[in-house]
Amino acid sequence: MAERLDGSGLATPPRRIYSVSELNAEVHGLLEETYPLVWLVGEISNFRVFTASGHWYFTLKDDRAQLGAAMFRGQNRHLRFRPSDGDSVLVRGQVSLYDARGSYQIIVSHMEPRGAGALHAAFAALRQRLEAEGLFDPARKRPLPALPRRIGVVTSRDGAALRDILQVLARRHAGVSVLLVPCRVQGDGAAEEIADAIARAGRAGGLDALIVGRGGGSLEDLWAFNEEVVARAIAACPVPVISAVGHESDVTIADLAADVRAPTPSAAAEMVAASREEMLERMEHLSRRLAGATRLLLTRLRSGPAGSFTLLAARALDGALRQAGQSHDDLAGRLLRGFERALVRRRRRLESLTGRLSPLSLRSSLATRRERLGGVVARLRAAAASRWRTGREALAVAAGRLRELSPLAVLSRGYALARLARDGTVLRDARQAGAGDEVDLRLHQGGLRLEVLGRLEPAEGGGRRGGGG
């Protein structure tokens, strides 16, 4: 490669001239090669979501500098939280360059909230303090009722958790009634709302069990269930409480304070409402145990000494039989009453729908709709007639103007239109034609083909005189 001399006579390397795109591409490669993976902490600002692509664009900043960042849909859809402006986060990504703008940025592949460590520490401290008070003592835990008649639910009215609970209860035990005490389950003030909802459910009376929970989310989303006020409200509730917060891997203070912890809201409904098949199976199992115990006792009585022992055993057997029969009858009656209540509700619903679909109701509805349709048709006809009249008037005005401007109107007043026969040139000057040329003359009615004998030149005083061709 040739060298050149500068003014001092020293050799200098040859110049390399880049285009902008070439330089950006080279810097792009250097950045990604030098910083293929970095961890970065900062505060989010200017957070934007592009709906069409699903990509996130934001700025990471600290108190002295800032850096553009992008997180594409393939990575951000795996996050369990949605960041927003002001969030402190820890990200992992690759340093890169957006060539089109020449802007230096980081392409984020992983993100986690920076405050998670602090939240874990707060969780551990509160857990230790409440555990020392005995709030989580297993001796405080109450068993769930075998066949509840009324169940309370504390959760969001619009959340998926409520839908899951109701679907399971309808499938397993249609006779149970549900009392919903709605509240917010995340955000500022949510913990106080949850605690108040639990207290109101406890005061409502008639509840056999209470489900408290929500669907899954990040640690921040679930934090309302890690507040002391919620734990104390659960402990003070007069009915057994089932905590169903998040997914199976999520453990909250509410889970520890509740009488029973369910891994999901659906599982909570499964726990609290035994199905008809399970109840029948349980009664059959008790019947088999009773029959076995009876046979065993009779065998022992036959082989053992008579007298007072025999009398005592007979009395014990009689009492056990009475207790077992009463328990059997009670369970069967409760199960039957539950199904009867469900049947009554369904019958009322059917009667309501039948009334709404009766011929009289349908006839009235049809008459109303026919009357509305007639009004709409009348209005449409009036509007169409008005539009037609307006258009016809406008067309008449336009036709009149067109007739005024038509060359035929001029011809009707005695004028003629002359054209050279050979090429159709319109004649505006006598000098455009010479002797012997054929001329087509357009009149108001028909036309003539003429041969030019000569030109008439304008004469003084307005007359004309003949001229040569």
Side-chain angles (χ1 to χ4, degrees):
M1 183 179 293
E3 297 181 342
R4 63 185 180 85
L5 300 177
D6 59 15
S8 63
L10 298 176
T12 59
R15 291 183 298 178
R16 177 179 176 183
I17 301 175
Y18 290 89
S19 68
V20 175
S21 58
E22 287 175 341
L23 182 59
N24 280 355
E26 191 165 317
V27 173
H28 184 152
L30 289 173
L31 283 174
E32 292 189 348
E33 183 177 335
T34 307
Y35 301 100
L37 182 66
V38 296
W39 288 89
L40 187 66
V41 64
E43 179 182 323
I44 290 180
S45 65
N46 300 322
F47 184 80
R48 305 182 307 282
V49 177
F50 279 67
T51 306
S53 63
H55 303 332
W56 295 352
Y57 298 93
F58 51 98
T59 301
L60 287 173
K61 65 178 184 178
D62 57 22
D63 56 347
R64 290 183 297 177
Q66 66 180 26
L67 172 64
M71 191 172 192
F72 301 129
R73 180 175 59 182
Q75 285 71 43
N76 64 43
R77 63 189 177 91
H78 298 297
L79 292 187
R80 294 179 58 187
F81 74 102
R82 178 70 168 265
S84 58
D85 288 349
D87 287 352
S88 179
V89 295
L90 177 67
V91 303
R92 180 187 67 218
Q94 182 180 41
V95 178
S96 184
L97 185 82
Y98 181 39
D99 294 12
R101 294 182 184 172
S103 57
Y104 153 67
Q105 62 181 357
I106 181 170
I107 305 300
V108 178
S109 57
H110 172 76
M111 178 188 297
E112 60 187 60
R114 183 62 173 169
L119 293 179
H120 283 300
F123 174 89
L126 180 60
R127 176 175 182 171
Q128 184 176 6
R129 180 160 57 84
L130 296 180
E131 193 168 18
E133 291 183 21
L135 205 68
F136 308 149
D137 190 348
R140 295 184 62 259
K141 311 294 185 181
R142 295 162 290 189
L144 297 179
L147 191 62
R149 301 174 183 176
R150 195 173 188 220
I151 298 171
V153 179
V154 172
T155 189
S156 170
R157 187 190 304 272
D158 303 319
L162 177 61
R163 294 193 297 272
D164 294 343
I165 291 171
L166 294 179
Q167 287 174 359
V168 172
L169 292 179
R171 172 172 51 83
R172 290 175 63 82
H173 190 10
V176 71
S177 66
V178 178
L179 172 66
L180 171 65
V181 188
C183 62
R184 291 188 300 131
V185 293
Q186 72 180 71
D188 294 338
E192 288 72 18
E193 286 194 25
I194 296 168
D196 179 65
I198 294 171
R200 285 188 285 127
R203 293 193 299 268
L207 293 181
D208 297 311
L210 180 66
I211 299 175
V212 179
R214 57 154 290 161
S218 66
L219 180 60
E220 288 81 358
D221 294 338
L222 305 180
W223 191 254
F225 294 89
N226 286 321
E227 297 284 357
E228 182 175 354
V229 64
V230 174
R232 295 197 180 278
I234 291 175
C237 187
V239 298
V241 177
I242 305 172
S243 176
V245 182
H247 302 296
E248 187 170 2
S249 58
D250 301 316
V251 178
T252 64
I253 296 294
D255 294 331
L256 302 175
D259 296 285
V260 177
R261 183 211 173 215
T264 63
S266 297
E270 297 271 358
M271 291 178 178
V272 77
S275 67
R276 179 177 180 274
E277 289 75 14
E278 289 175 348
M279 293 302 301
L280 293 175
E281 184 179 348
R282 181 179 177 186
M283 287 189 289
E284 185 178 353
H285 175 68
L286 290 174
S287 298
R288 288 197 301 268
R289 289 184 59 188
L290 179 61
T294 302
R295 287 194 298 271
L296 178 62
L297 184 57
L298 289 174
T299 301
R300 288 178 178 176
L301 287 174
R302 292 193 191 99
S303 60
S308 61
F309 176 76
T310 303
L311 179 61
L312 182 62
R315 288 176 179 174
L317 176 60
D318 185 58
L321 288 172
R322 285 198 304 271
Q323 290 288 335
Q326 186 175 355
S327 176
H328 182 279
D329 292 341
D330 181 58
L331 288 174
R334 291 173 65 184
L335 183 62
L336 181 61
R337 286 192 296 273
F339 282 109
E340 287 176 349
R341 285 196 298 270
L343 184 60
V344 169
R345 284 198 299 271
R346 292 186 185 332
R347 185 179 294 115
R348 290 174 180 171
R349 175 66 174 165
L350 179 61
E351 290 173 355
S352 174
L353 292 174
T354 303
R356 290 169 61 186
L357 294 174
S358 66
L360 182 60
S361 175
L362 289 175
R363 192 178 302 114
S364 174
S365 175
L366 183 60
T368 301
R369 294 178 183 273
R370 185 181 291 114
E371 183 178 351
R372 290 179 182 173
L373 180 60
V376 171
V377 170
R379 289 195 296 272
L380 284 175
R381 286 176 176 170
S386 176
R387 185 68 179 269
W388 182 80
R389 286 193 299 270
T390 302
R392 185 176 60 181
E393 292 170 1
L395 179 61
V397 172
R401 292 178 180 175
L402 184 61
R403 283 194 297 272
E404 291 175 1
L405 298 175
S406 171
L408 298 178
V410 178
L411 297 179
S412 67
R413 295 197 292 271
Y415 294 93
L417 177 65
R419 295 176 182 270
L420 285 177
R422 65 173 179 269
D423 57 10
T425 301
V426 176
L427 298 179
R428 296 180 178 85
D429 190 328
R431 290 173 294 182
Q432 289 181 259
D437 287 338
E438 290 183 345
V439 174
D440 290 332
L441 199 64
R442 177 73 161 87
L443 304 175
H444 178 61
Q445 296 293 335
L448 299 172
R449 174 160 291 187
L450 307 176
E451 181 179 350
V452 177
L453 301 178
R455 287 194 294 267
L456 297 177
E457 299 295 339
E460 295 183 1
R464 294 183 180 274
R465 59 184 178 82

